[in-house]
Amino acid sequence: MRARTPVVVLGVAVFALALGVLLTPGLGGAIPVADAVDAAGSDYKLFVVFGAVALLLVLVVVGLRAVGGQAQATPPDPEHVRTAPAPGAEFDSVVGGGVGLREQLFGDERERVRGRLRETATQTVMRRENCGRETARERVENGTWTDDRDAAAFVGGERGPSPPVSSRVTAALRGRSWFQHGARRAAEEIVGTSDRRVTDGGRRTEDDR
Amino acid sequence: MTVRRTRRWRGIVAVALFVGGVGVVAARPLVLLLGVVGAAFAAYPHLTATPEVRLDIERRFGDDSPDDGDDVVVTVRVQNTGDSTLTDLRIVDGVPPMLTVSDGSPRHAAVLRPGKTTEFEYTVGAARGRHRFEPATVVARDVAGTREVETTVDTETELACTGTVPEVPLRQQTEQQSGRVITDEGGSGIEFHQTREYRHGDPMSRIDWKRHAKTGELTTIEFREERTASVVLLVDATADAYRARRADEQNAVAHSLAGAEQMLTALSNTRNFVGLAGIGREFAWLAPGTGPEHGDAASTLLATSPTFSTIPPSESERESGSGKNGENEEWDVQSQHAELQRRLGSNAQVVLLTPLTSPDVLTMALGLEANGTRVTVVSPDVTNEETVGGRLAATERENRMRTLRESRIPVVDWNPETDRLGTELLRAQEGVA
Amino acid sequence: MSGDGISGVDGITRHPTRVSSLVAVCAAVLAIALLGTTSAQRLALGVDVAGIAVLALGGAAWHRGHRVVGGLVALAGVGLSLASVGVVVVRAETVSQRVEIAPGLLGPLLVACGVVPVWKRFSRTFVSLGAAFVVLTICLSGLVRGAEMLPLLGAFAATVVAWDAGEQAINLGEQLGNEARTWPVEVGHSGATAVYGCVAVAAAVGFHDLDVTGVPLVGLFALFGAAVLLLVGLYN
């Protein structure tokens, strides 16, 4: 707006001049308009120049409008409960969508997921077998906690089983990375292990109810 | 307050120039005259003033103490307290974050002359807890729609949908003291309990002299002995606790807060000292105390502290809040633990409300217990078994509950959708004592 | 058609509000009606309006979830509206009668497409384009000397009102949705624009009555130059 203020001032000045010319006919003679008319050929042609300038400005204004667009407030949407993710939603997104390329190369997201699964597997084995932490840890490391080789390989340590080649191929055929496949299998196996304990008649809160 | 130029009229200049230009080039005065109308409209947005927004807002409820799931009609009255007419006033009411509008719209538009009021209503489905309304968002435009003022109007409104819990399971304060907070052993407390036959050695002041005068019997008045406990209700409002079973349901922090509210009421009806603490956006603390003023202070803290906000952290907050390194000072959960540890006296016990969605809160509970603070965990269950991640999270929670129980920390597993907290606590009571 | 149906992702319908939409279409139709006074032109405009009504019905059905029926009806409405151009080309007696109204018949249709809305993302573009077609037809009418001064100026003011109401419908819909009560603001806003339009027309008539033919050339140049400069200065 401020940049256009001189234009408005100029416009007002020209308007004042026009009024002056209209009210005092003598003033008009002082401006050499006749020469301009002669140069253009006729007074009509001179008006056409004005009109053309105006039409040119139309293009400029329309262009600016197309670029600028409008501004308006975006009020909040209070109609619904402010959503929060479900427990485990991060895990689902990592397993479902994988991690980004940058994260794959430099991040520790995969190791965090693996560490978390390893810890949960240990805890669950402790709960199932009613054994100490060391024993459970050992069983997870060497992969004897489950029959599922993919799951065992995923959370197992260096001494544990290595993932079967067939699983890697199957995962690749389904369009998943080995990481996604392994993490999913490990999670399912941990959940299964946990449930098995309950069906074995273990003490669980739900049973007490 | 934001004042914005909408720029909606900027095209009219082009139209005025166009018709004027055509009129000149074609030498048609009538078309040139259209340019005058166009120029007048180009001046239109410059003739209006920025609206001056001064409003009062007031809310009323169809039902002041609804039950869980009831529909409550909210009537909003807005008054123009300024001196000028608001020609284009748009209002979006600040429905509490954990409530859902079931009928009508919390949005409204009105032309409001000075001193006049406008009214609108909508229906929300009540959910358990105390729900504070957020400021209403107001957008006011001038009559041409050139300038837009965006601001908020606030008034303290709270929709309380509270349940009651009969009793809070408290743990023994020290080895010698009785288990329940109010003992049924007769003693020298304040509350009358019973009379019994005089025994040698009873203090003179405790003899029922009235009865002696009437009947000649010597009896001793016994008072109910009361030993006050000091309880701190601790709400886990860390980034990991903002989890909900489904997108349209309350998150675990909201459940925890509703639970804390109920227990606060139950405990202030006894003579226990109750305190309040929260870990999350920042450390919130109210030292244990008693009496109505203390109760008010607790309500105020629950309503105003950012820690006790039910709004899940935004993406950016979550980045710093999930605390891979705990760099962010406000969300530095580690130092909040330390602060809590420092503030808890040797005599206080903690009732921790947490969905147990992170290993950190488990470490904290175990740490408190190891340092001699008695901990009871009340855990709203928000896990769902619909996805692998959900089932994994449920298993993790089971594991955490077991670890707590192994460390002799009682855990109340509470499904906020189906169970009332009171019933769960009573069930737990039998196990605690 | 915008693919969001009854409600958007967040459950709030954010279509252009009804009252302003109706005002927009009616003002656009009024502008054309002021220009076209012969029976052939009126017939074409009638066909145009009928087509828009059918389009509106189809849009309503679509947004209530009847996708197939609604879509077909809306398409028929657009077809009927477009046929009105054919009506005026065939039935009008002179070239100038055809020229002065044919592009204008697209105006109300485009405005209607913007506020139904046919394609929500481009609602504003539809409304602006519709208004532009009406302005074009007004200019043509002025060039072929088809209309008197007052109807011409009135039609121009009505076009501005139509555009303004259409945009107002869109921004109210975006900010408050369709469940909220918005009509007082819509009526107030469009009423004010219409009253101002009348003032603008009166000013133009007054300007005309000044009779500038006797004015020296320099004065005219200065007036026109001042007008252009001021318009650019007022660019909002």
Side-chain angles (χ1 to χ4, degrees), chain A residues 44 47 58 69-73 76-79 81-83 85-88 90 92 116 120 123-124 127 187 205 209, chain B residues 4 6 14 18 24-25 93 97 100-101 106-107 134 137 148 150 243-244 247 387 389 396 398-399 402-403 405 413:
Chain A
Y44 169 69
F47 269 114
V58 170
Q70 286 192 20
Q72 68 178 35
D77 298 332
E79 275 89 349
V81 169
R82 219 64 64 85
T83 53
E90 298 94 337
D92 288 328
R116 183 180 155 194
T120 311
Q123 294 275 348
T124 311
R127 201 147 62 92
T205 36
R209 288 178 187 167
Chain B
R4 196 178 281 113
T6 61
F18 175 75
V24 167
V25 171
D93 197 22
T100 304
V101 174
R107 297 158 193 260
E134 302 203 320
T137 303
E148 188 183 73
E150 186 184 4
R243 292 287 182 273
T387 64
E396 285 176 331
E398 292 277 333
N399 289 343
R402 177 191 130 116
T403 310
R405 284 178 177 141
D413 184 7

Side-chain angles (χ1 to χ4, degrees), chain B residues 350-404:
Chain B
V350 166
V351 176
L352 169 62
L353 294 112
T354 172
L356 287 170
T357 41
S358 95
D360 298 344
V361 71
L362 182 74
T363 316
M364 181 180 73
L366 295 174
L368 285 173
E369 183 77 15
N371 277 349
T373 309
R374 296 282 186 260
V375 180
T376 304
V377 172
V378 175
S379 178
D381 182 8
V382 291
T383 58
N384 73 50
E385 313 248 313
E386 282 156 26
T387 64
V388 182
R391 289 192 288 274
L392 182 67
T395 306
E396 285 176 331
R397 185 169 169 275
E398 292 277 333
N399 289 343
R400 286 180 191 130
M401 288 201 295
R402 177 191 130 116
T403 310
L404 287 170

Side-chain angles (χ1 to χ4, degrees), chain C residues 19-104:
Chain C
V19 177
S20 289
S21 298
L22 192 67
V23 170
V25 175
C26 288
V29 169
L30 174 71
I32 306 297
L34 284 169
L35 300 176
T37 43
T38 65
S39 60
Q41 288 170 329
R42 284 286 160 87
L43 177 69
L45 187 59
V47 174
D48 198 20
V49 170
I52 288 167
V54 174
L55 166 66
L57 280 178
W62 171 284
H63 294 309
R64 291 221 162 78
H66 309 291
R67 290 290 154 102
V68 180
V69 179
L72 287 175
V73 171
L75 213 60
V78 172
L80 187 60
S81 229
L82 288 175
S84 66
V85 180
V87 170
V88 81
V89 168
V90 173
R91 299 288 295 270
E93 285 149 15
T94 64
V95 176
S96 65
Q97 277 184 21
R98 288 174 198 147
V99 162
E100 72 171 340
I101 206 166

